[in-house]
Amino acid sequence: MLPPIIEFLKDKSVLILGFGREGKSTYNYIRKYLPEKILGIGDGREQKIDDNFVEYFCGEDYLSYIGKFDVVMKSPGISFVNVDIPENTYVTCQTDLFMKYAPCKKIGVTGSKGKTTTSTLTYKMLCAGGVDCELMGNMGLPVFDYIEEMTEDRIAVIELSSHQLEFTRSSPDVSILTNIYEEHLEHYKGGMTGYVNSKLNIVRHQNEKSTFIYNGTQGLEPYFDVTSVKSNVIPVKKDDELPFEINNIHLAGEHNRHDVLYAFTAASKFGVTAEDAKKAIDAVLGSIAEAVKGGDKVTLVGFGTFSVTERGARTGRNPQTGATIEIPAKKSVKFKAGAGLEV
């Protein structure tokens, strides 16, 4: 018996549009089950792989070929702002098919800012609570790479960009929308309207059993009527009370505290307690400290990179007396914030 995604694709002509990390992930997943199916690969750059059952549609006009196919598996970041989709072509993506067919529970996180931090915190809190889960999505972890591991009793925590949500027609069981600001407007028809519509696909297809967590401080009134949502709606404000203290200085800022609130609200839906959540944050700090003491570089997705730097001995000046002094060599911890970390 074939997996449901493969059943959906097997008798259709398929174009893999964009052959970067996600495109290659899509190719590998399909090829595992359909080794002799003719597949199209479309990309702005010339491509060539060792496969006699691949046809190439590459170069500057690669988007003009989408009408030749029943299904287009679009990679994030490819803009359709100047593309008219033919009536008989179904444009989809890994996120869309994962949401529809993967049997696991799903927590999806999107927003203009803070989605990587929130996704990572949610995952860490679930792990601390003994919940069997995986972190995947926009941070460079294609969902098809995990789909065969995601059974009914597991949870997928998925970071979702607006690009991934643009052609997604199913929503997660728990959706988090951290905020909305003007970004990537050149990617969408209608500019800000198209961008917001893509983001809102994270909630648009939820049902009465779902949960929608959103920024109660910013609100959604300019873009969306939350009373139209079928799911359980939870506004989370930046000054809401946390049931535990944040000792991590890199999470103590206003925006990151808000991310902690989002994450705990979502994780608590799966039985995670305040004690579990605090353990998750403290455990992150403990593992960093031990690794850095040993001279290792530590990179945490959504946070940044901790490393040890050594500054050689040097001559300095006493700021009070002006006298020359010898400053010995010293090791110190350096932290470089990741793109998703707001302080």
Side-chain angles (χ1 to χ4, degrees):
M1 182 176 176
L2 293 173
I5 290 176
I6 301 300
E7 285 284 356
F8 169 71
L9 296 173
K10 69 175 184 178
D11 296 322
K12 298 177 176 67
S13 57
V14 177
L15 175 66
I16 300 173
L17 193 64
F19 206 58
R21 182 175 295 172
E22 185 161 309
K24 290 172 183 174
S25 168
T26 299
Y27 167 82
N28 290 334
Y29 182 66
I30 296 173
R31 215 20 117 225
K32 178 177 179 179
Y33 295 98
L34 303 173
E36 297 184 356
K37 178 178 176 61
I38 299 296
L39 293 172
I41 291 178
D43 198 283
R45 296 176 293 183
E46 294 299 321
Q47 302 290 334
K48 188 68 177 177
I49 59 175
D50 185 17
D51 188 332
N52 293 328
F53 298 95
V54 167
E55 297 176 344
Y56 300 94
F57 303 86
C58 300
E60 292 183 4
D61 61 344
Y62 75 108
L63 293 176
S64 67
Y65 297 102
I66 64 173
K68 295 179 178 290
F69 296 87
D70 300 323
V71 176
V72 173
M73 291 291 300
K74 177 182 172 295
S75 293
I78 295 177
S79 175
F80 271 24
V81 69
N82 295 316
V83 175
D84 293 320
I85 302 171
E87 184 176 343
N88 294 324
T89 297
Y90 184 82
V91 179
T92 183
C93 58
Q94 283 200 10
T95 301
D96 181 37
L97 298 184
F98 185 93
M99 291 292 182
K100 185 175 182 179
Y101 291 114
C104 60
K105 293 290 186 182
K106 300 142 190 126
I107 300 175
V109 184
T110 196
S112 302
K113 308 289 184 184
K115 57 184 175 290
T116 307
T117 305
T118 302
S119 302
T120 307
L121 285 169
T122 303
Y123 168 72
K124 295 289 186 182
M125 290 179 186
L126 289 169
C127 290
V131 179
D132 192 3
C133 58
E134 292 285 355
L135 177 65
M136 60 190 76
N138 187 56
M139 65 279 289
L141 306 171
V143 294
F144 276 16
D145 289 1
Y146 297 87
I147 192 166
E148 296 190 327
E149 307 168 14
M150 301 312 297
T151 52
E152 291 183 3
D153 56 342
R154 304 194 74 206
I155 297 174
V157 181
I158 315 166
E159 181 190 341
L160 297 166
S161 69
S162 57
H163 306 321
Q164 291 166 310
L165 287 166
E166 184 177 9
F167 290 97
T168 295
R169 302 166 181 85
S170 299
S171 298
D173 301 285
V174 176
S175 296
I176 303 174
L177 178 56
T178 61
N179 46 55
I180 294 179
Y181 300 107
E182 292 189 2
E183 285 192 351
H184 312 300
L185 304 190
E186 72 286 349
H187 182 96
Y188 300 96
K189 293 180 179 179
M192 186 65 174
T193 300
Y195 171 68
V196 172
N197 280 336
S198 295
K199 286 289 189 189
L200 291 175
N201 281 335
I202 199 169
V203 62
R204 190 170 277 125
H205 310 287
Q206 285 191 314
N207 57 39
E208 292 81 1
K209 297 180 180 180
S210 308
T211 299
F212 176 46
I213 301 164
Y214 76 98
N215 188 328
T217 302
Q218 183 186 52
L220 287 174
E221 288 75 15
Y223 314 112
F224 189 63
D225 180 8
V226 292
T227 63
S228 67
V229 175
K230 296 178 181 178
S231 49
N232 176 32
V233 178
I234 304 176
V236 174
K237 296 184 177 181
K238 64 182 181 182
D239 54 356
D240 283 351
E241 183 178 355
L242 259 178
F244 53 88
E245 185 178 354
I246 301 176
N247 297 317
N248 186 332
I249 62 170
H250 297 294
L251 294 175
E254 177 182 289
H255 296 294
N256 291 318
R257 184 183 184 280
H258 210 168
D259 295 339
V260 172
L261 283 161
Y262 294 134
F264 178 63
T265 303
S268 65
K269 293 293 177 183
F270 297 92
V272 172
T273 66
E275 184 179 358
D276 295 330
K278 189 175 189 311
K279 282 181 182 177
I281 295 174
D282 291 344
V284 169
L285 285 175
S287 62
I288 291 170
E290 289 302 313
V292 171
K293 282 180 183 178
D296 295 334
K297 178 187 286 188
V298 180
T299 300
L300 296 177
V301 175
F303 293 92
T305 300
F306 294 84
S307 60
V308 175
T309 60
E310 185 168 352
R311 192 169 186 182
R314 64 195 189 279
T315 300
R317 191 172 297 277
N318 187 312
Q320 293 181 332
T321 66
T324 299
I325 57 174
E326 295 300 320
I327 303 173
K330 180 182 178 181
K331 290 183 178 180
S332 61
V333 177
K334 177 183 176 183
F335 175 76
K336 182 179 180 181
L341 180 63
E342 302 172 65
V343 180

